[in-house]
Amino acid sequence: MEVLKNKKELRKVFKEKRAALPEDEWSRASRSIQNHTKAFILEKDIHRVHCFVSINSRKEPDTHGLIQWMLSRGMQVFIPVMQSGRMLIHHHLTQFSELEPNEYGILEPPIIRGYQQDFDLIIVPMLAGDRNGYRLGYGKGYYDTFLSKESDTCSLGLLFNDFLVEGLPVEAHDVSLSLYMSEDGPVLFNVC
């Protein structure tokens, strides 16, 4: 039970730290993360990407421009839509403009077009990450459930430099990522 308590406390700390980021610093760091991620996608010749839609009001690393860039290059882009039971439906996005805010302010499609899993890259949200590839998420387990079924797919977490820590509490169900992308570039753990 101590791990859960620590994770809960850590989530609060990192949410407050991220909320305190000055707008210009958040914007600059997000652009840098996007540019490094674009270079990685081109280098690895990636075509099918599952990417979270950032909640910019919470100062998550901005993915809106990244998603629009991928769509403009003709890539297949899939976004998560949360369902009950810690499950994600993978919506095939064709235009960013089709997204609308839900009751929580999260951009989602009004009509979901599900997709069977077969991705080249999965880009995930996170509050913090450690040097072993483990992420601190929001505590609902959606991505651990999803990633546990996609262990052969390259998984990339987006985070700001100051949110990379030496170690995080890890539980049996936690899944490590292949790499993080920060404003300084990639931090690799597993080969993609």
Side-chain angles (χ1 to χ4, degrees):
M1 196 54 115
E2 185 64 30
V3 170
L4 292 177
K5 183 179 177 191
N6 285 340
K7 282 187 172 184
K8 185 176 181 180
E9 291 169 4
L10 286 170
R11 284 186 188 98
K12 183 177 187 293
V13 167
F14 285 112
K15 283 180 182 179
E16 289 172 358
K17 183 176 179 177
R18 200 170 61 191
L21 283 173
E23 191 73 24
D24 61 331
E25 184 179 328
W26 169 80
S27 181
R28 179 197 52 75
S30 288
R31 277 193 309 275
S32 183
I33 291 169
Q34 283 183 30
N35 289 337
H36 288 299
T37 304
K38 290 174 187 178
F40 178 81
I41 287 170
L42 292 174
E43 175 188 330
K44 297 293 184 180
D45 195 30
I46 290 169
H47 300 281
R48 290 180 313 280
V49 180
H50 185 283
C51 184
F52 74 100
V53 180
S54 59
I55 305 170
N56 292 348
S57 62
R58 295 184 192 164
K59 294 190 179 167
E60 291 182 330
D62 185 3
T63 61
H64 297 192
L66 177 63
I67 291 169
Q68 292 171 7
W69 174 82
M70 290 187 290
L71 290 170
S72 74
R73 295 187 63 84
M75 295 178 186
Q76 292 183 322
V77 177
F78 306 89
I79 62 168
V81 179
M82 290 185 277
Q83 301 294 300
S84 62
R86 296 183 179 176
M87 299 301 295
L88 296 174
I89 290 182
H90 315 290
H91 172 76
H92 184 196
L93 185 68
T94 56
Q95 294 181 22
F96 192 83
S97 61
E98 74 185 67
L99 301 178
E100 300 174 356
N102 67 14
E103 64 269 22
Y104 305 107
I106 299 169
L107 293 174
E108 289 186 342
I111 299 172
I112 299 170
R113 291 184 302 277
Y115 180 77
Q116 193 66 19
Q117 293 162 263
D118 184 21
F119 309 112
D120 299 328
L121 176 66
I122 300 169
I123 301 175
V124 302
M126 53 196 295
L127 287 167
D130 74 13
R131 299 204 177 270
N132 297 309
Y134 289 100
R135 64 185 271 280
L136 180 67
Y138 292 97
K140 303 297 182 198
Y142 286 93
Y143 276 93
D144 286 320
T145 300
F146 172 38
L147 292 172
S148 69
K149 297 173 185 173
E150 292 288 324
S151 59
D152 292 336
T153 304
C154 184
S155 56
L156 183 153
L158 304 183
L159 84 162
F160 303 116
N161 286 334
D162 290 344
F163 295 77
L164 178 59
V165 298
E166 285 303 316
L168 289 169
V170 177
E171 297 172 273
H173 66 270
D174 290 335
V175 178
S176 65
L177 302 178
S178 305
L179 73 154
Y180 303 142
M181 196 66 73
S182 77
E183 56 266 46
D184 286 343
V187 178
L188 297 168
F189 304 104
N190 302 304
V191 178
C192 290

